[in-house]
Amino acid sequence: MENRIDVNEDLALEEKALENPSSEEKNYEDEQIRVLEGLEAVRKRPGMYIGTTSIGGLHHLVYEIVDNAIDEVQSGICDTVFVTINADNSVTVQDNGRGIPGGINPQTGLPTLEVVYTKLHSGGKFGDGGYKVAGGLHGVGAAVTNALSEWMEVETCHSGKRYTERFARGQVDREFAFEGETDQHGVKVTFKPDPEIFEETVFDYDILLNRMREQAFLNAGVKIILSDVRPEMERSEELHYEGGIASYVDYLNTLKHCERIHPDIIYMRSGLDLPSAEVAIQYNDSYNETVISFANSMTTIEGGTHETGFRAALTKVLNDYARKIGALKATDKNLSGEDVREGITAVISIKMEDAQFESQTKSKLGNSEIRTLVENLMNRKLTEYFEENPASGKLIIEKALAASRAREAARKARELTRRKSVLESSTLPGKLADCQERRSELTELYLVEGDSAGGSAKDGRDSRFQAILPLRGKVLNVEKSRLDKVYSNQSLIPIIQALGCGIGEDFNIEKLRYGKIIIMADADVDGSHIRILLLTFFFRHMRKLIEDGHIYLAQPPLYKVHRGKIVKYAFNEAEKDAIIAELGGSAEAERYKGLGEMDPEQLWETTMDPTYRTLLKVEINDAIACDEAFSILMGDQVEPRRLFIEQNAKFATNLDI
Ligand code: 1YM
């Protein structure tokens, strides 16, 4: 049950909030004028510092401390970082760098360590006037983590001396103290997140693992040893990649389980002076593009100037080379950006002082000089690579040409269908039972497996705002199909038409005709198959629908439990048992074999009525993991799929794919 999201409850709350601004909001203005001192500000508005107080924010606490250790790695002094989840759900981060100096900070008269952990000094570090290029909060991260921790203990070994200090909710709890001589050096921090702040205080090893692995790839050579010592959860991994982002590309291509087009990974980097740029590329035989970018070791999910430079240079260099070797003739059209990126896996990492981030989520790099930096680097080095590796060069150009031909065929297919006005937003599929409401934020489209369930759904729905599209036959597996197939596929065309937002180059979310798109399929193997086929389609071709939270899975009940005239529904085994117990001895449970068995009223009551139903919202928590899952599950290699299903079988009830 925890996995269900009752969307209507959320909506109701939102509406209430709009009607009468909460008292909290009214106070906000007062607080803006009042100058909040020190860490109180962080505890009052944690979201402003770590984004959220849910599970993401919890893990952010660790990243902030690790960032300081990684900074020390980048200055070349430290090579090992330990990250340990302790039995009491506290976390220890330890490095073997110089250690924080044991002296007194002249500006404040406080121990330097205390300043680092309790003051929201802005800008760079204040040790030696150096700057900070690791991600995070410009050197105030450690203080933020401290403020949001129930307690924190810091130990520093610097210049042969060991010091400690302890904090509670950001306040000094045990004074800074000299503990004795030592031959060690480095910093060790242990903290326990404050349950007063966080909704969730149990760390997830896999979330930390992903981030630590990313950091290990981005900082070639560093060893990060991640351990979980909680009873029954013991695990440990050493993350260490001498090849840096080239190893990252290799890793990503291994996850994708497809063939590499050329054996080597193309690696380019500018000089070591800042700003610096690094790019690694390798093509595979899939039709997808995986380009991930970083600025100062932080993911830039929305891209930005470094990605723009990358794309511009890639298109130019490949076209120049294709013409040079005669693969493109004088009269041929240029390869498009999409052509040259089909099947590419690339990692771009830039480091600079004063990185500027744009957009709401601050995950888009804005510095214009970086575009030129990456573009020039690639124009030079990628051209050089092709000259030195003509065999690989030829294979890459052939892949792009194949993509270009497929795109041309897709364009023709689309034009053909467009002429027949099949994909035009004004035409609706014959099978669609549309709703009356026109404001898309209020409407729902049910994609229903099978005609009989479709019939029940049509009769049971509230036609004011619910539309039904029954799906006939198997949905196309887009993972194994090029665009031309997708655009002309008879199972997908009605969906594309009903949604009204177009596809590919024509995609326009503004034209989306429904606020919620709800996949309603049986709880059996065939239903699971349809669900995953539809999700693959949305993920590969209309990802924005998932990103913007439009895609949902309906949750039909598994059992009908009745005693005499009393009927109740159960969504899992435990609920069924509870209801039988509640109704007493002669209650009987019937298992639904499919949606088609339910009559319209039952379907409405259990699965479609917004006051009763529960919907599962589809989210992309980790795009790379999703990419992997879809490549493995829907690709054409059997062994990785078998392994994946075996390893993920325990999640099957959650994911149900
Ligand atoms: C487990 C977390 O914080 N390591 C760490 C932090 C610092 C230094 C070394 C360091 C930096 C500098 C000079 C400098 C920090 N020092 C400061 C401050 N690991 C962890 N390792 N000497 C030591 O940047 O100039 C802040 S963080 F302020 F003292 F310089």
Side-chain angles (χ1 to χ4, degrees), residues 65-66 68-69 72 93-95 97-101 112 116-117 125-130 158 187-189:
I65 304 296
V66 171
N68 278 349
E72 192 65 357
V93 183
Q94 181 169 17
D95 69 47
R98 286 167 293 181
I100 298 173
T112 302
V116 173
Y117 281 90
K125 271 185 201 166
F126 38 86
D128 59 0
H158 182 268
V187 180
K188 178 176 165 184
V189 178

